[in-house]
Amino acid sequence: MPELPEVETVMRGLEPAMTGQTIVAAEIRRPDLRWPFPPQMKERLTGARVIRLGRRSKYLLIELETGETLIVHLGMSGRMVIHTDARHVDGAFHHDQHVPAKHDHVQLTLGDGTLVIFNDPRRFGAMDLIATDRLHTHKLLAKLGPEPLGNQFSAAVLTAAFKGRKTPVKSALLDQRIVAGLGNIYVCEALWQSAIAPTRQTGQIPAKRINALTSAIRETLDDAIAAGGSSLKDYRKADGELGYFQHSFRVYGREGKGCLRDGCNGTIQRLVQAGRSTFHCPLCQQ
DNA sequence: ATGTGTTCCTGTCCGC
DNA sequence: TGCGGACAGGAACACA
């Protein structure tokens, strides 16, 4: 479920394992994911030291000492797995005996023997390399709107983007040019939280509701990141898999169940907008 | 310029 | 148990 909070959680999980490490081997088991990998990706990664990890929207950024940054997108089903062989702790590396799982497309071996594996059944994910000083010009990043948890995001920004447009607010919030990082789940959650109907045209939303929506977006994402952080330890302990964790939603996936808003007797309904499921309470979301 | 539908791919789940 | 269909967390792209 990689939306912004999940990518943030993956980034925080990878950070201690990767920062300062050198990629001593890169195994690339197919020529592409959603798009072809960049030319010579294997060679450009091999021997590169990881300076730091970051995130922009749903993109994971791995900055290398070579002057390039590896951009990773998890798509719908991508995940990162950290594989640590106990034998490496004593200095003897036996990582070559690790048997790849199905859909393990890219495997990085770090200097201490840790394996970082990108697994993606549906292959909607992507990887690319770009000079770090040109990162913001990358096609995938250039048009992204503000980070919802950053200083650039505000009710004024949403108001300007919403003004005079007839787009249903659900679609507008999925538009990464307006605000970056929201996906289907957290859009539903934020609209429920701020009691706005997903079908509402953006130009028709009162200022007060836009203020509420702005806060709801921040709170929803903050809560999810907090939940991801708290589940991270346990998840790592289990199997090293990052990117999926238990989190309960207030409205997403709750079709036919009672609305959880205090004093509301509504029933959550599912509708389809632009080919994607929207969950909402028709009673309290206006 | 804006808004909508299609498409990429595999896996899972549900009803018959 | 098998089989078909719906659906899944994204987003580029073609098109009205």
Side-chain angles (χ1 to χ4, degrees):
Chain A
M1 61 167 88
E3 296 183 33
L4 186 154
E6 290 74 30
V7 179
E8 178 68 22
T9 301
V10 169
M11 193 269 282
R12 292 182 188 183
L14 288 175
E15 225 170 12
M18 296 191 79
T19 306
Q21 294 279 327
T22 298
I23 299 168
V24 297
E27 205 170 318
I28 292 140
R29 304 208 172 92
R30 51 173 303 119
D32 56 22
L33 288 169
R34 180 168 184 176
W35 299 289
F37 289 127
Q40 308 293 111
M41 181 163 87
K42 177 187 171 81
E43 291 75 12
R44 288 156 79 182
L45 291 176
T46 304
R49 184 168 168 271
V50 176
I51 298 177
R52 67 173 72 86
L53 271 66
R55 178 192 59 75
R56 172 75 169 107
S57 188
K58 301 169 194 173
Y59 296 91
L60 178 65
L61 306 173
I62 301 175
E63 187 181 341
L64 307 171
E65 209 168 45
T66 57
E68 292 194 301
T69 292
L70 177 65
I71 302 173
V72 180
H73 195 275
L74 300 174
M76 292 274 254
S77 58
R79 54 190 81 185
M80 291 295 218
V81 179
I82 299 175
H83 184 86
T84 309
D85 191 316
R87 265 166 292 219
H88 294 149
V89 176
D90 299 324
F93 293 178
H94 294 285
H95 51 253
D96 51 335
Q97 48 185 245
H98 176 74
V99 179
K102 200 173 183 183
H103 308 304
D104 278 357
H105 305 308
V106 174
Q107 175 175 303
L108 305 178
T109 306
L110 305 181
D112 67 352
T114 300
L115 302 180
V116 174
I117 297 161
F118 181 90
N119 179 288
D120 183 10
R122 292 178 74 181
R123 305 206 303 271
F124 290 169
M127 279 193 196
D128 202 2
L129 279 161
I130 187 172
T132 301
D133 58 12
R134 293 197 304 117
L135 183 63
H136 66 285
T137 69
H138 192 280
K139 195 182 177 187
L140 295 171
L141 305 181
K143 291 179 180 173
L144 292 174
E147 285 289 319
L149 298 178
N151 296 330
Q152 304 295 312
F153 180 64
S154 65
V157 165
L158 275 191
T159 303
F162 283 3
K163 194 178 179 188
R165 295 179 61 186
K166 293 182 177 177
T167 321
V169 64
K170 163 85 188 304
S171 310
L173 293 176
L174 283 174
D175 185 340
Q176 304 295 301
R177 294 169 300 186
I178 294 177
V179 55
L182 292 175
N184 208 33
I185 291 180
Y186 295 110
V187 166
C188 291
E189 295 293 311
L191 287 172
W192 179 85
Q193 179 81 26
S194 49
I196 299 170
T199 49
R200 193 73 176 260
Q201 296 183 352
T202 58
Q204 308 284 106
I205 303 173
K208 202 176 166 182
R209 291 285 97 200
I210 296 185
N211 289 336
L213 176 58
T214 307
S215 306
I217 289 170
R218 287 214 186 91
E219 285 165 20
T220 302
L221 297 177
D222 275 338
D223 287 354
I225 290 171
S230 61
S231 69
L232 193 55
K233 259 200 249 168
D234 295 338
Y235 236 79
R236 276 290 309 283
K237 209 179 294 172
D239 59 0
E241 178 180 309
L242 295 168
Y244 291 76
F245 50 83
Q246 297 300 318
H247 187 53
S248 59
F249 305 117
R250 307 282 283 171
V251 66
Y252 186 87
R254 296 192 67 250
E255 184 180 17
K257 297 183 176 166
C259 179
L260 293 174
R261 193 183 314 280
D262 284 348
C264 181
N265 291 321
T267 301
I268 303 304
Q269 291 188 5
R270 172 184 174 272
L271 58 88
V272 176
Q273 292 177 283
R276 312 205 52 198
S277 290
T278 300
F279 296 89
H280 70 120
C281 174
L283 210 55
C284 64
Q285 290 180 249
Q286 296 297 321

